[in-house]
């Protein structure tokens, strides 16, 4: 069965094409800054938003037309695998990501769930071999089922901790089976509703316990994916422990997880935390912890996680600049944790939305490469901090001064002249790189 028979493989046709099913900016083999675009971008398609969203919202029924529903949950799951790999192939993406519950029905018991996962991952493995696609990361969904009401590893109920551990064990076995390059933890329910009945230290100690077990089990089965922790400030928990990059890095350091864990940063989560995406990438880069990104965008007029396809080239440019400065993102990638709007309900929208996202990141990459080549930010920053290049500034950086000598210096140099930042001009010049 084919689901997108009427669409050919999507090719680069340039910005003047009027073919909707063509890339206008993403040209996979074009070399930018010494590397093919596809190797800079390492695009991944997210199974959940692509295959399991139906367009329903708290006010209305599903809107999305999807032709892969079968007579049983297992039949639907198998049809989805077919359709998913058709989408990946048509788009020419090389990677994908999934939660355990996205790919297989949970059945009536954990045992049945695991059997279903075995059957579906056999099928996925075949498809991967057939198409040459790779697993960027998988993860265990430990937030949707009612049992995770009070958390997974942070739950007050030890049976829930054990259940979560079983899912992680299975997730790592699947990661090994499919040669996953990364393994993600997003603590959807690892947070709290009220501090009145919560022992924060107890709960975060337990989260770290589960992570250590995961590292040990990976070693035991001879599979060492890059572990990634994904911050998000709120939703679904009122307060999530992994609020943002800095908070999550403090956790990673506190529990000595630096050697095994980096961050998976999502654009929409950054803005929910009151940061820009580039801020979060910059923080991670500073800690050598920029692992992978979830590419999407939020709506700044709304206070929730809308997971829209990324089309804001200002944001993709600044994100790609951080990635270039990081020396790339591998073994991470750019995963489209993005869903089509309720009104984009046709099957074809799944392809069109990804084309829009891939083109927007391609434009971001090209603009970021030009900015880097011209030393745009480098020169700006060099000039802005130039007072540290000589004189008292150089002495401060060389740790040659103390409070007494600085005080002596300040007493003689208290008529301070500040330079203007000309920030408005900087922003206008940056615009020249975007369009
Ligand atoms: C939800 C998260 C989730 C993670 C993986 O907001 O983005 O989808 O990426 O569990
Ligand atoms: Ca995400
Ligand atoms: Ca999100």
């Amino acid at each position: 069965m084919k689901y997108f028979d009427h669409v050919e493989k999507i090719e680069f046709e340039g910005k003047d094409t009027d073919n909707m099913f063509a890339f206008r900016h993403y040209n996979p083999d074009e070399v930018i800054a010494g590397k093919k675009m596809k190797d800079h971008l390492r695009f991944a398609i997210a199974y959940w938003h692509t295959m399991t969203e139906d367009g329903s919202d708290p006010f209305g029924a599903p809107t999305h037309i999807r032709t892969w529903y079968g007579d049983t949950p297992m039949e639907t799951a198998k049809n989805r695998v077919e359709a998913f790999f058709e989408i990946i192939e048509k788009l020419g993406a090389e990677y994908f990501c999934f939660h355990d519950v996205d790919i297989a029905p949970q059945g009536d018991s954990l045992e049945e769930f695991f059997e279903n996962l075995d059957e579906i991952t056999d099928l996925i493995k075949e498809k991967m071999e057939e198409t040459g696609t790779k697993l960027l990361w998988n993860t265990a969904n430990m937030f949707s089922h009612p049992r995770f009401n009070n958390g997974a590893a942070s739950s007050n109920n030890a049976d829930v901790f054990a259940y979560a551990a079983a899912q992680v064990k299975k997730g790592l076995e699947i990661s090994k089976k499919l040669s996953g390059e990364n393994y993600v933890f997003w603590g959807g329910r690892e947070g709290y509703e009220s501090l009145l009945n919560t022992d924060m230290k107890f709960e975060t100690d337990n989260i770290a316990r589960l992570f250590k077990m995961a590292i040990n089990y990976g070693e035991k089965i001879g599979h060492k994916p890059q572990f990634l922790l994904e911050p998000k400030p709120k939703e679904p928990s009122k307060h999530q422990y992994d609020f943002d990059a800095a908070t999550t890095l403090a956790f990673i350091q506190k529990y000595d997880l630096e050697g095994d864990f980096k961050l998976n940063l999502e654009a929409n989560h950054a803005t929910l935390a009151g940061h820009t995406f580039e801020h979060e990438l910059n923080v991670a880069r500073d800690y050598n912890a920029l692992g992978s990104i979830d590419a999407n965008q939020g709506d700044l007029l709304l206070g929730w996680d809308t997971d829209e396809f990324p089309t804001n080239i200002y944001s993709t440019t600044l994100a790609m600049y951080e990635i270039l400065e990081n020396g790339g993102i591998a073994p991470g990638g750019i995963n489209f944790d993005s869903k089509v709007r309720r009104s984009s309900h046709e099957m074809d929208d799944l392809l069109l939305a990804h084309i829009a996202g891939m083109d927007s990141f391609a434009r971001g990459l090209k603009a970021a490469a030009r900015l880097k080549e011209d030393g745009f930010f480098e020169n700006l920053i060099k000039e802005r901090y130039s007072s540290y290049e000589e004189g008292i500034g150089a002495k401060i950086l060389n740790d040659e001064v103390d409070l007494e000598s600085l005080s002596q210096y300040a007493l003689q140099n208290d008529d301070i002249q500040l330079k203007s930042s000309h920030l408005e001009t900087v922003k206008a010049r940056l615009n020249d790189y975007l369009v």
Side-chain angles (χ1 to χ4, degrees), residues 212-229:
K212 295 215 163 124
M213 289 178 197
I215 295 168
N216 290 341
Y217 190 64
E219 269 159 23
K220 185 164 178 195
I221 62 172
H223 177 59
K224 212 175 163 3
Q226 172 68 56
F227 286 101
L228 300 172
L229 195 44

PDB file of all heavy atoms in Angstrom, residues 212-229:
ATOM      1  N   LYS A 212      21.216   6.761  36.277  1.00  0.00           N
ATOM      2  CA  LYS A 212      22.436   5.962  36.494  1.00  0.00           C
ATOM      3  C   LYS A 212      22.189   4.502  36.115  1.00  0.00           C
ATOM      4  O   LYS A 212      23.050   3.837  35.547  1.00  0.00           O
ATOM      5  CB  LYS A 212      22.902   6.081  37.947  1.00  0.00           C
ATOM      6  CG  LYS A 212      23.316   7.527  38.250  1.00  0.00           C
ATOM      7  CD  LYS A 212      24.472   7.639  39.217  1.00  0.00           C
ATOM      8  CE  LYS A 212      25.073   9.029  39.128  1.00  0.00           C
ATOM      9  NZ  LYS A 212      25.134   9.784  40.369  1.00  0.00           N
ATOM     10  N   MET A 213      20.990   4.035  36.433  1.00  0.00           N
ATOM     11  CA  MET A 213      20.650   2.659  36.040  1.00  0.00           C
ATOM     12  C   MET A 213      20.676   2.526  34.518  1.00  0.00           C
ATOM     13  O   MET A 213      21.109   1.502  33.982  1.00  0.00           O
ATOM     14  CB  MET A 213      19.245   2.287  36.547  1.00  0.00           C
ATOM     15  CG  MET A 213      19.163   2.107  38.046  1.00  0.00           C
ATOM     16  SD  MET A 213      17.441   1.731  38.523  1.00  0.00           S
ATOM     17  CE  MET A 213      17.520   2.093  40.273  1.00  0.00           C
ATOM     18  N   ALA A 214      20.210   3.567  33.831  1.00  0.00           N
ATOM     19  CA  ALA A 214      20.191   3.533  32.363  1.00  0.00           C
ATOM     20  C   ALA A 214      21.622   3.490  31.819  1.00  0.00           C
ATOM     21  O   ALA A 214      21.933   2.699  30.919  1.00  0.00           O
ATOM     22  CB  ALA A 214      19.449   4.750  31.814  1.00  0.00           C
ATOM     23  N   ILE A 215      22.500   4.314  32.384  1.00  0.00           N
ATOM     24  CA  ILE A 215      23.901   4.311  31.932  1.00  0.00           C
ATOM     25  C   ILE A 215      24.503   2.917  32.149  1.00  0.00           C
ATOM     26  O   ILE A 215      25.136   2.337  31.267  1.00  0.00           O
ATOM     27  CB  ILE A 215      24.720   5.373  32.705  1.00  0.00           C
ATOM     28  CG1 ILE A 215      24.214   6.781  32.370  1.00  0.00           C
ATOM     29  CG2 ILE A 215      26.214   5.235  32.391  1.00  0.00           C
ATOM     30  CD1 ILE A 215      24.757   7.871  33.285  1.00  0.00           C
ATOM     31  N   ASN A 216      24.253   2.355  33.354  1.00  0.00           N
ATOM     32  CA  ASN A 216      24.814   1.034  33.664  1.00  0.00           C
ATOM     33  C   ASN A 216      24.269  -0.051  32.740  1.00  0.00           C
ATOM     34  O   ASN A 216      25.010  -0.917  32.282  1.00  0.00           O
ATOM     35  CB  ASN A 216      24.496   0.648  35.120  1.00  0.00           C
ATOM     36  CG  ASN A 216      25.288   1.507  36.084  1.00  0.00           C
ATOM     37  OD1 ASN A 216      26.304   2.113  35.702  1.00  0.00           O
ATOM     38  ND2 ASN A 216      24.832   1.610  37.319  1.00  0.00           N
ATOM     39  N   TYR A 217      22.973   0.019  32.455  1.00  0.00           N
ATOM     40  CA  TYR A 217      22.391  -1.020  31.599  1.00  0.00           C
ATOM     41  C   TYR A 217      22.926  -0.903  30.169  1.00  0.00           C
ATOM     42  O   TYR A 217      23.205  -1.918  29.522  1.00  0.00           O
ATOM     43  CB  TYR A 217      20.852  -0.949  31.621  1.00  0.00           C
ATOM     44  CG  TYR A 217      20.243  -2.152  30.935  1.00  0.00           C
ATOM     45  CD1 TYR A 217      20.423  -3.426  31.456  1.00  0.00           C
ATOM     46  CD2 TYR A 217      19.524  -2.008  29.751  1.00  0.00           C
ATOM     47  CE1 TYR A 217      19.895  -4.543  30.815  1.00  0.00           C
ATOM     48  CE2 TYR A 217      18.984  -3.122  29.108  1.00  0.00           C
ATOM     49  CZ  TYR A 217      19.177  -4.383  29.645  1.00  0.00           C
ATOM     50  OH  TYR A 217      18.662  -5.482  29.008  1.00  0.00           O
ATOM     51  N   GLY A 218      23.093   0.332  29.700  1.00  0.00           N
ATOM     52  CA  GLY A 218      23.686   0.538  28.369  1.00  0.00           C
ATOM     53  C   GLY A 218      25.056  -0.126  28.305  1.00  0.00           C
ATOM     54  O   GLY A 218      25.381  -0.843  27.349  1.00  0.00           O
ATOM     55  N   GLU A 219      25.849   0.100  29.353  1.00  0.00           N
ATOM     56  CA  GLU A 219      27.190  -0.519  29.388  1.00  0.00           C
ATOM     57  C   GLU A 219      27.090  -2.038  29.395  1.00  0.00           C
ATOM     58  O   GLU A 219      27.820  -2.727  28.689  1.00  0.00           O
ATOM     59  CB  GLU A 219      27.956  -0.025  30.615  1.00  0.00           C
ATOM     60  CG  GLU A 219      28.770   1.219  30.298  1.00  0.00           C
ATOM     61  CD  GLU A 219      29.143   2.051  31.516  1.00  0.00           C
ATOM     62  OE1 GLU A 219      29.180   1.501  32.642  1.00  0.00           O
ATOM     63  OE2 GLU A 219      29.394   3.260  31.318  1.00  0.00           O
ATOM     64  N   LYS A 220      26.144  -2.532  30.161  1.00  0.00           N
ATOM     65  CA  LYS A 220      25.977  -3.982  30.286  1.00  0.00           C
ATOM     66  C   LYS A 220      25.621  -4.634  28.945  1.00  0.00           C
ATOM     67  O   LYS A 220      26.140  -5.712  28.616  1.00  0.00           O
ATOM     68  CB  LYS A 220      24.881  -4.264  31.321  1.00  0.00           C
ATOM     69  CG  LYS A 220      24.712  -5.719  31.611  1.00  0.00           C
ATOM     70  CD  LYS A 220      23.933  -5.971  32.860  1.00  0.00           C
ATOM     71  CE  LYS A 220      23.774  -7.467  33.019  1.00  0.00           C
ATOM     72  NZ  LYS A 220      22.746  -7.799  33.989  1.00  0.00           N
ATOM     73  N   ILE A 221      24.770  -3.976  28.169  1.00  0.00           N
ATOM     74  CA  ILE A 221      24.371  -4.598  26.895  1.00  0.00           C
ATOM     75  C   ILE A 221      25.261  -4.137  25.735  1.00  0.00           C
ATOM     76  O   ILE A 221      25.002  -4.429  24.570  1.00  0.00           O
ATOM     77  CB  ILE A 221      22.876  -4.362  26.556  1.00  0.00           C
ATOM     78  CG1 ILE A 221      22.560  -2.862  26.399  1.00  0.00           C
ATOM     79  CG2 ILE A 221      21.971  -5.001  27.600  1.00  0.00           C
ATOM     80  CD1 ILE A 221      21.146  -2.581  25.887  1.00  0.00           C
ATOM     81  N   GLY A 222      26.301  -3.377  26.073  1.00  0.00           N
ATOM     82  CA  GLY A 222      27.261  -2.956  25.043  1.00  0.00           C
ATOM     83  C   GLY A 222      26.676  -1.958  24.053  1.00  0.00           C
ATOM     84  O   GLY A 222      26.944  -2.011  22.857  1.00  0.00           O
ATOM     85  N   HIS A 223      25.860  -1.044  24.555  1.00  0.00           N
ATOM     86  CA  HIS A 223      25.296  -0.020  23.673  1.00  0.00           C
ATOM     87  C   HIS A 223      25.371   1.316  24.388  1.00  0.00           C
ATOM     88  O   HIS A 223      24.827   1.484  25.474  1.00  0.00           O
ATOM     89  CB  HIS A 223      23.839  -0.368  23.343  1.00  0.00           C
ATOM     90  CG  HIS A 223      23.170   0.674  22.499  1.00  0.00           C
ATOM     91  ND1 HIS A 223      23.644   1.029  21.253  1.00  0.00           N
ATOM     92  CD2 HIS A 223      22.072   1.448  22.714  1.00  0.00           C
ATOM     93  CE1 HIS A 223      22.849   1.958  20.749  1.00  0.00           C
ATOM     94  NE2 HIS A 223      21.908   2.242  21.614  1.00  0.00           N
ATOM     95  N   LYS A 224      26.065   2.286  23.758  1.00  0.00           N
ATOM     96  CA  LYS A 224      26.306   3.541  24.449  1.00  0.00           C
ATOM     97  C   LYS A 224      25.810   4.718  23.607  1.00  0.00           C
ATOM     98  O   LYS A 224      26.604   5.387  22.942  1.00  0.00           O
ATOM     99  CB  LYS A 224      27.814   3.680  24.734  1.00  0.00           C
ATOM    100  CG  LYS A 224      28.119   4.445  26.007  1.00  0.00           C
ATOM    101  CD  LYS A 224      29.609   4.434  26.284  1.00  0.00           C
ATOM    102  CE  LYS A 224      30.105   5.465  27.272  1.00  0.00           C
ATOM    103  NZ  LYS A 224      29.243   6.346  27.957  1.00  0.00           N
ATOM    104  N   PRO A 225      24.495   4.961  23.614  1.00  0.00           N
ATOM    105  CA  PRO A 225      24.014   6.144  22.899  1.00  0.00           C
ATOM    106  C   PRO A 225      24.402   7.398  23.696  1.00  0.00           C
ATOM    107  O   PRO A 225      24.693   7.296  24.892  1.00  0.00           O
ATOM    108  CB  PRO A 225      22.492   5.966  22.914  1.00  0.00           C
ATOM    109  CG  PRO A 225      22.207   5.158  24.138  1.00  0.00           C
ATOM    110  CD  PRO A 225      23.408   4.268  24.337  1.00  0.00           C
ATOM    111  N   GLN A 226      24.430   8.549  23.046  1.00  0.00           N
ATOM    112  CA  GLN A 226      24.569   9.797  23.792  1.00  0.00           C
ATOM    113  C   GLN A 226      23.245  10.025  24.525  1.00  0.00           C
ATOM    114  O   GLN A 226      22.197  10.118  23.888  1.00  0.00           O
ATOM    115  CB  GLN A 226      24.848  10.963  22.821  1.00  0.00           C
ATOM    116  CG  GLN A 226      24.825  12.338  23.458  1.00  0.00           C
ATOM    117  CD  GLN A 226      25.968  12.563  24.429  1.00  0.00           C
ATOM    118  OE1 GLN A 226      27.144  12.427  24.080  1.00  0.00           O
ATOM    119  NE2 GLN A 226      25.636  12.889  25.672  1.00  0.00           N
ATOM    120  N   PHE A 227      23.276  10.099  25.845  1.00  0.00           N
ATOM    121  CA  PHE A 227      22.042  10.381  26.584  1.00  0.00           C
ATOM    122  C   PHE A 227      21.756  11.875  26.526  1.00  0.00           C
ATOM    123  O   PHE A 227      22.679  12.694  26.646  1.00  0.00           O
ATOM    124  CB  PHE A 227      22.162   9.927  28.042  1.00  0.00           C
ATOM    125  CG  PHE A 227      22.092   8.431  28.204  1.00  0.00           C
ATOM    126  CD1 PHE A 227      23.244   7.678  28.389  1.00  0.00           C
ATOM    127  CD2 PHE A 227      20.863   7.785  28.153  1.00  0.00           C
ATOM    128  CE1 PHE A 227      23.186   6.299  28.530  1.00  0.00           C
ATOM    129  CE2 PHE A 227      20.784   6.400  28.291  1.00  0.00           C
ATOM    130  CZ  PHE A 227      21.955   5.659  28.477  1.00  0.00           C
ATOM    131  N   LEU A 228      20.487  12.197  26.358  1.00  0.00           N
ATOM    132  CA  LEU A 228      20.091  13.606  26.269  1.00  0.00           C
ATOM    133  C   LEU A 228      18.944  13.874  27.230  1.00  0.00           C
ATOM    134  O   LEU A 228      18.019  13.072  27.336  1.00  0.00           O
ATOM    135  CB  LEU A 228      19.624  13.937  24.839  1.00  0.00           C
ATOM    136  CG  LEU A 228      20.635  13.736  23.711  1.00  0.00           C
ATOM    137  CD1 LEU A 228      19.944  13.911  22.353  1.00  0.00           C
ATOM    138  CD2 LEU A 228      21.799  14.718  23.836  1.00  0.00           C
ATOM    139  N   LEU A 229      19.035  15.009  27.886  1.00  0.00           N
ATOM    140  CA  LEU A 229      17.973  15.431  28.792  1.00  0.00           C
ATOM    141  C   LEU A 229      17.333  16.675  28.188  1.00  0.00           C
ATOM    142  O   LEU A 229      18.042  17.588  27.759  1.00  0.00           O
ATOM    143  CB  LEU A 229      18.614  15.714  30.154  1.00  0.00           C
ATOM    144  CG  LEU A 229      17.761  15.833  31.395  1.00  0.00           C
ATOM    145  CD1 LEU A 229      16.704  14.769  31.463  1.00  0.00           C
ATOM    146  CD2 LEU A 229      18.668  15.722  32.619  1.00  0.00           C
TER     147      LEU A 229
END
